[in-house]
Amino acid sequence: NRVGVASFPHVAGILVDPHGPADSGSLVVARLERDQEATFKRLVMDGGQRLLVPLNPQFPAIPIDQDCTMCGVVVAKAESLI
């Protein structure tokens, strides 16, 4: 369930709401405990399974398990960082 194709150039900044609702199709920042890092992906819920789907279709989706913490939902983007 993708809602359009988002584009975020490397120079773009994002504003994240740490309390925003993470619905299917939302752009989210999530922390993967096994990798000890945060990632910026689209949240997809399909048939009871939750996935983190990269904006670049050349990369694989990441199934979400108990080792994933939602840090927040992207609410805006800036075209460049100052």
Side-chain angles (χ1 to χ4, degrees):
N1 183 16
R2 292 187 70 164
V3 182
V5 177
S7 174
F8 288 84
H10 289 288
V11 296
I14 56 174
L15 180 61
V16 177
D17 179 354
H19 304 293
D23 300 318
S24 188
S26 297
L27 295 172
V28 299
V29 174
R31 183 163 193 259
L32 302 170
E33 299 300 328
R34 65 182 172 264
D35 296 334
Q36 294 295 308
E37 62 183 39
T39 186
F40 169 52
K41 306 268 190 272
R42 182 176 305 277
L43 175 63
V44 174
M45 295 179 216
D46 185 24
Q49 184 176 20
R50 298 182 333 148
L51 302 166
L52 293 173
V53 178
L55 300 182
N56 183 339
Q58 295 181 7
F59 291 96
I62 301 167
I64 296 176
D65 56 23
Q66 64 274 13
D67 292 332
C68 178
T69 302
M70 289 294 159
C71 299
V73 177
V74 176
V75 294
K77 77 173 180 175
E79 293 304 319
S80 64
L81 297 174
I82 295 176

